[in-house]
């Protein structure tokens, strides 16, 4: 099983700050990368997807991908208490099927 | 558009008992996934269906877990007999196809507690 690694946290940031979440993956052939948000007791919800090297911005969220370093990150600008959740990094492996291979998630706490 | 439906939402059983979970994907979605999420971990794929065929079941503990997707729509996941370590949330997800860039939509999950 190819690995997806995340710091479990908790990562605590003050309201209005930038939260930076990181993820590394071991499968060099991975093609697609996703960030899911999961509130306690709820199912994962897709917030960002990225497929090519560089940055992708959507509102307050920016995903960054560096395939050479096998590294994906998520930046949340102007963090709000409602952003407090677990953020799951997910990668599609290079073998068939394209089901997601998830990291353990990083717990983010945004304090007022 | 209705989301992925799952039932039951919660289930408590004794070890060695059997249990079944049901999933109805978003209408028209060809690909259906069952994931197991143990507390504090990310979801782990158990089985992936494309229409009514199995694409990947390499991580399904086949001595106790089984799954089917009759007619390429609804799916059931069964555990028989259950072990304590099967306590987890079982998530069903669907996508329009099994293509690499297509979003997967998750249902609310079934929380299983094995005593």
């Amino acid at each position: 099983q190819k690995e997806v690694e995340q710091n479990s946290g908790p990562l605590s940031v003050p309201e209005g700050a930038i939260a930076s979440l990181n993820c590394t993956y071991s499968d060099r052939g991975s093609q697609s990368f996703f960030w899911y948000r999961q509130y306690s007791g709820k199912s994962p919800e897709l917030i960002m997807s990225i497929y090519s090297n560089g940055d992708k911005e959507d509102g307050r969220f920016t995903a960054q991908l560096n395939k050479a370093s096998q590294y994906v990150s998520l930046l949340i600008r102007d963090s709000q208490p409602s952003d407090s959740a677990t953020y799951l990094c997910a990668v599609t492996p290079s073998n068939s099927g394209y089901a997601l291979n998830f990291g353990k998630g990083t717990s983010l706490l945004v304090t007022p | 558009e209705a989301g992925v439906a799952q039932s039951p939402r919660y289930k408590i059983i004794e070890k060695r008992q059997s249990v079944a979970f049901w999933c109805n994907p978003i209408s028209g979605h060809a690909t259906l996934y069952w994931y197991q999420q143990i507390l504090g971990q990310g979801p782990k794929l158990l089985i992936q269906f494309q229409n009514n065929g199995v694409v990947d079941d390499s991580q399904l503990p086949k001595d106790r877990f089984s799954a089917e997707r009759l007619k390429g729509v609804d799916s059931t996941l069964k555990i028989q007999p259950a072990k304590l370590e099967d306590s987890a949330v079982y998530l069903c997800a669907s996508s329009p196809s099994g293509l690499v860039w297509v979003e997967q939509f998750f249902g609310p999950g079934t929380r299983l507690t094995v005593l």
Side-chain angles (χ1 to χ4, degrees):
Chain A
Q1 174 75 17
K2 300 297 179 69
E3 299 294 328
V4 178
E5 300 286 346
Q6 294 182 255
N7 188 324
S8 61
L11 174 65
S12 182
V13 299
E15 184 174 357
I18 296 175
S20 178
L21 305 164
N22 304 315
C23 171
T24 60
Y25 60 95
S26 63
D27 184 353
R28 188 169 288 278
S30 297
Q31 301 179 51
S32 303
F33 308 86
F34 303 88
W35 284 99
Y36 281 80
R37 178 176 61 199
Q38 187 172 31
Y39 292 113
S40 180
K42 303 295 185 182
S43 58
E45 170 194 15
L46 181 68
I47 53 172
M48 288 290 289
S49 59
I50 188 166
Y51 310 107
S52 55
N53 282 328
D55 295 358
K56 179 181 178 183
E57 186 174 321
D58 184 0
R60 297 186 296 111
F61 299 97
T62 299
Q64 299 174 317
L65 174 61
N66 184 326
K67 289 186 177 181
S69 300
Q70 296 176 240
Y71 177 89
V72 192
S73 66
L74 178 71
L75 300 178
I76 307 175
R77 290 181 299 281
D78 188 24
S79 295
Q80 301 297 310
S82 59
D83 294 326
S84 298
T86 295
Y87 289 80
L88 297 163
C89 175
V91 174
T92 53
S94 55
N95 57 352
S96 64
Y98 302 124
L100 296 173
N101 190 10
F102 284 88
K104 292 184 177 181
T106 298
S107 175
L108 173 66
L109 177 64
V110 181
T111 55
Chain B
E1 179 182 77
V4 177
Q6 291 188 246
S7 68
R9 294 293 312 278
Y10 305 91
K11 189 74 176 179
I12 301 174
I13 62 172
E14 301 279 338
K15 62 182 179 183
R16 290 188 290 274
Q17 285 187 323
S18 301
V19 66
F21 312 128
W22 173 82
C23 172
N24 181 240
I26 293 172
S27 177
H29 280 196
T31 308
L32 185 148
Y33 310 82
W34 283 102
Y35 290 89
Q36 178 194 58
Q37 186 173 23
I38 293 172
L39 186 66
Q41 299 185 20
K44 183 186 82 171
L45 178 73
L46 292 176
I47 189 166
Q48 177 187 351
F49 292 96
Q50 180 75 18
N51 296 309
N52 60 354
V54 175
V55 175
D56 184 355
D57 64 356
S58 58
Q59 298 187 85
L60 186 73
K62 298 181 184 63
D63 58 334
R64 298 184 300 106
F65 286 65
S66 64
E68 61 182 8
R69 189 183 185 197
L70 300 177
K71 300 181 181 178
V73 182
D74 293 7
S75 178
T76 56
L77 176 69
K78 297 179 181 178
I79 308 175
Q80 180 179 13
K83 293 185 175 182
L84 296 176
E85 59 260 35
D86 298 331
S87 294
V89 176
Y90 291 84
L91 294 163
C92 180
S94 71
S95 66
S97 72
L99 297 177
V100 63
W101 57 83
V102 175
E103 178 182 356
Q104 295 181 26
F105 297 85
F106 283 83
T110 296
R111 182 176 299 276
L112 173 67
T113 301
V114 182
L115 302 176

